[in-house]
Amino acid sequence: MRRASFRWKPRGEAKKRYKVKVGEYSTGRAKYGYKCVACEEVFKSGEVKMDHVEPVVPLTGWESLDNFAIRMFCEEDNFQCLCPACHDIKTQREKDYRVAFRKLEQDTDEYIALEKEANEFILAYIEENNKYIQEHKDIK
């Protein structure tokens, strides 16, 4: 299912938002790269990762295959462009949250505090992505 999502049209449309001109070839043809939302560096197309802003598997853990599919095949606003280093950092942090949630009992003070922290972590990425989208709204 994850492999099929690479051909999902909204994912491709989202990737276009992060395309930036980085120069020209000797023939005069434009040279493009893709800007990482987190570090704002520019990378080649094959080097960037199109990441789900809201994780496919929620930070609180697995829910169901139906929910997984719905979150996997989302709208283009839920995709962001990250370089491999920033993607690895975000993915590891998501995994750390899932491990921490498994160790806690629901509805305890620790669980609620961790849930708040995890939501703030995701909201920071949502805000950063929305800010980038607004700044580059007219560019296609």
Side-chain angles (χ1 to χ4, degrees):
M1 195 179 306
R2 194 171 288 273
R3 180 54 65 194
S5 75
F6 291 173
R7 294 185 299 278
W8 180 241
K9 187 170 181 164
R11 183 180 186 274
E13 292 299 316
K15 189 171 182 179
K16 289 178 186 177
R17 277 199 309 256
Y18 303 96
K19 191 174 186 178
V20 293
K21 187 173 179 179
V22 294
E24 292 183 351
Y25 292 102
S26 59
T27 61
R29 199 177 96 218
K31 191 186 280 190
Y32 293 96
Y34 293 85
K35 193 171 187 178
C36 173
V37 172
C39 69
E40 299 187 353
E41 295 292 319
V42 178
F43 297 87
K44 293 179 183 176
S45 178
E47 295 175 341
V48 294
K49 310 273 187 182
M50 289 307 293
D51 179 67
H52 288 82
V53 178
E54 293 184 45
V56 176
V57 177
L59 299 181
T60 53
W62 175 262
E63 292 174 352
S64 70
L65 186 57
D66 290 343
N67 193 355
F68 179 83
I70 289 167
R71 293 170 77 105
M72 176 69 69
F73 295 96
C74 58
E75 296 302 316
E76 72 179 75
D77 288 349
N78 193 37
F79 287 103
Q80 65 185 347
C81 185
L82 294 176
C83 68
C86 293
H87 183 265
D88 290 347
I89 290 166
K90 180 178 180 267
T91 302
Q92 186 59 51
R93 188 116 182 252
E94 290 169 355
K95 287 178 185 176
D96 293 344
Y97 277 120
R98 281 189 210 97
V99 168
F101 273 110
R102 269 188 296 232
K103 292 178 181 177
L104 297 175
E105 218 175 292
Q106 282 192 357
D107 299 328
T108 62
D109 290 341
E110 290 174 315
Y111 185 92
I112 293 166
L114 184 64
E115 194 170 35
K116 183 180 179 202
E117 181 184 326
N119 287 335
E120 288 171 0
F121 167 71
I122 295 300
L123 282 174
Y125 276 95
I126 291 170
E127 287 174 20
E128 198 62 35
N129 194 42
N130 287 340
K131 186 173 100 181
Y132 185 90
I133 290 169
Q134 287 302 318
E135 289 173 0
H136 299 83
K137 201 174 197 176
D138 300 325
I139 301 171
K140 284 254 176 171

